[in-house]
Every structure is written in C-alpha cells, then in structure tokens.
Amino acid sequence: MSTDLELIEAAKDGSVDAFTELVHAYRERLLRFLVTRCASFADAEDALQDTFINAYRYLHSYDPQWRFSTWLYRIAIRNAARHNRGNVTELGDIADSEGDPLSTCIKDSERTNLWSAARRVLSDEVYTAMWLRYAEDMSVNDISGALDRTSSWTKVNLMRGRQALEAEMNRDDSRSKAYG
Amino acid sequence: MDKLADRLRKDAADIHVEVSPELDNRIRASLAGVTPEAPRDERPRHPPWFWWASSLTGLAAAVAIIAIINTGGPTTPSSMPVAATQTDYALPELPALPLKAEQAMSISPLEQELSDIQSDLEKARQAVSEDVRQIF
C-alpha cells in the first residue's frame, strides 16, 4: 500500500489512478465535513467534486511540509464558501430548515447532535476550526494552515468555541434530565 | 479525554454520509478531463545581458540628467523686484563724488600698516567732508 506522498508524486507524474486512490481515501471524510457546511446535499457533492478537481489541477503547488489532508481541507473550505455564497445562505439559517443536509445524515438520537448546535451558535470559521480539531484530530498548526490564520487566533477561537458548546451541552443535558 | 471532546467525536461519527456511485463516476470523469497545470517558475527569467543593459541604461539616464542641469542658463527671477520701502518724497540727485583711492602696499610691519591705513582713512574722511561742505 502506497503512502500519500508516493501517490502524490505518481499523480504529479500524470497518474490519474494514483490520484483516484487519494480520492477514495479522503472522499467520505471531506463529504462529511462539507455536508455540515453546505446548504444542501447536492451542494456538498458539488463542492467535493470541485475540491478534487482543483486539488488535481494544482497538485504541483502542494507543499509536503503540510499534511495532505490539511491542504485538501483548505481547498474544500473555499469551495464550500463559494457554494454558500452563491446561495446566500448562512449556516445558522439552514440549521432548522427541512432540507438541512446535516439533519438527514444524523442518526436518530434522544439528544441533540452537538454539531447541529455548533452550526447554530458558532461562526463559520470557528465551526470549521472546531471540526478540524475534534472530528479530524488536527493539530493547532494544521488548523491554522487550513484556515490561513495564526496559531494564536486558532487557540483563542477553539477556546471560545469550546465555551459556547459546553454551555449548549449543559443546556441539552439539563433538558434531557428535566424531561426524563 | 474531556467530556466535550468525547461528545464532539461521537457526534461527528454519528453523521453518516455515503459517496454515491453516481458522484464517484462524476469525479472520475471530471479528473479524466483535467490536465494538471505545469509548475511555474516564480522568478521571471531574464537573458544574461539583461543586467548589463539595465545598468547601462540607468547610467546613461543619470549622465543625461546631470548634463541637462549643468547646461541650463542662469536662473531668472520669477517675479519683478519689489521695493522694500516706498517714500513719499523724491530724493535729490547727488553728483558723482570724485573719490581718490590709492592701492595699499603691505610691505611694513602690520602695526605700522594699520596706523598708515587709519591716517589715510582720516585724510579721506576730511577730504570728503570738505567736498560735501563745498557742494552744499
């Protein structure tokens, strides 16, 4: 089994198959993220497709000092923003709508999925930082690279995001206890 | 592991997505139609004589500017001179005074030269006073 770097080198030499292997490795992780960031499932799929096309087209500009996933996420964040800009939709606006792609992808559960709450209470960038930290286990440096922000900004906003979500979690827990 | 991080990880895992075969085919087809862009050299390449040519051009421009500055004529005042004061009366025209001046030759010691010059100056002052008195 080849590593990411070997596949990237092969893809740079023109191997579509090597890049397709990379697509298979990352497509579901990216789609899960994009579903939480886009206004519809179709938008998320389009953003995923654009992400891989852009990544393949500009593969020569990939800097191996970053993880490949960081670079891919950086492209995906831009594509999600572009699709959302076209629809003039904010994440908070779609959180409760019927066509919300996130709610259709969440298992039925008694408690609220915290990512739904996160979309409601956090800004797009802070949401993304929280996702990369806790859903993708990225380091602060990688998150800063993906968001094109400083490490200080990332640390501060991760802390603020945590505080906001802890309040949401406690509210959700107390509501569950109250209704048995 | 703190409670919030644990919950966020579990909730992220609860988001189930599946890449449909249609989307997979779309991505494959798109990739087949994309040509990766060749890496571009960030620094523009110049021919080897470029730096010599640019240096010589700069030098020639500097010489031309210095030549233009030096060959220009004397500067002319931008405006007519203006009298510092204006008088309401006309001054009488004075005739040219015949001043007699002699060239001083410094061949003696300085103290003697000084006393000679002072006596010459006194004589000249007296001559001028006499001339003025005679005229007016």
Side-chain angles (χ1 to χ4, degrees), chain A residues 46 49 60 105 114 137 162, chain B residues 2 11 16 26 30 37:
Chain A
D46 288 346
Q49 184 181 351
H60 67 268
C105 297
L114 261 188
D137 279 328
R162 278 187 62 96
Chain B
D2 66 309
D11 284 359
H16 286 278
R26 261 170 56 190
S30 303
E37 289 200 356

Side-chain angles (χ1 to χ4, degrees), chain A residues 67-82:
Chain A
R67 281 162 52 176
F68 187 61
S69 59
T70 305
W71 189 67
L72 273 183
Y73 265 101
R74 192 170 171 150
I75 300 171
I77 290 164
R78 280 190 204 155
N79 282 321
R82 195 163 52 82

Side-chain angles (χ1 to χ4, degrees), chain A residues 140-141 144 149-160:
Chain A
V140 170
N141 274 346
S144 307
R149 291 285 197 172
T150 61
S151 297
S152 309
W153 183 95
T154 306
K155 284 176 190 170
V156 167
N157 282 282
L158 282 174
M159 190 191 70
R160 287 181 184 158

Side-chain angles (χ1 to χ4, degrees), chain A residues 97-125:
Chain A
S97 66
E98 284 181 12
D100 175 17
L102 178 56
S103 61
T104 59
C105 297
I106 295 172
K107 276 182 184 173
D108 285 337
S109 172
E110 288 179 2
R111 58 178 175 76
T112 311
N113 188 300
L114 261 188
W115 292 107
S116 291
R119 236 173 32 170
R120 202 172 56 248
V121 298
L122 302 180
S123 70
D124 285 5
E125 270 192 315

Side-chain angles (χ1 to χ4, degrees), chain A residues 24 27 32 46 49 53 56-58 60 102 105 107 111-115 134 137 162 169 172-173, chain B residues 2-5 7-9 11-12 14-17 19 23-24 26 28 30-31 34 36-37 39:
Chain A
H24 285 175
R27 60 185 180 180
R32 185 184 294 134
D46 288 346
Q49 184 181 351
I53 290 170
Y56 186 54
R57 178 171 289 149
Y58 302 109
H60 67 268
L102 178 56
C105 297
K107 276 182 184 173
R111 58 178 175 76
T112 311
N113 188 300
L114 261 188
W115 292 107
Y134 294 106
D137 279 328
R162 278 187 62 96
M169 188 172 69
D172 190 42
D173 287 348
Chain B
D2 66 309
K3 193 179 166 186
L4 178 70
R7 171 91 180 264
L8 285 170
R9 285 192 181 91
D11 284 359
D14 280 345
I15 301 170
H16 286 278
V17 293
V19 177
L23 177 59
D24 198 30
R26 261 170 56 190
R28 279 172 187 272
S30 303
L31 290 177
V34 171
E37 289 200 356

Side-chain angles (χ1 to χ4, degrees), chain A residues 52-65:
Chain A
F52 284 125
I53 290 170
N54 291 344
Y56 186 54
R57 178 171 289 149
Y58 302 109
L59 197 58
H60 67 268
S61 66
Y62 166 66
D63 183 352
Q65 72 161 330

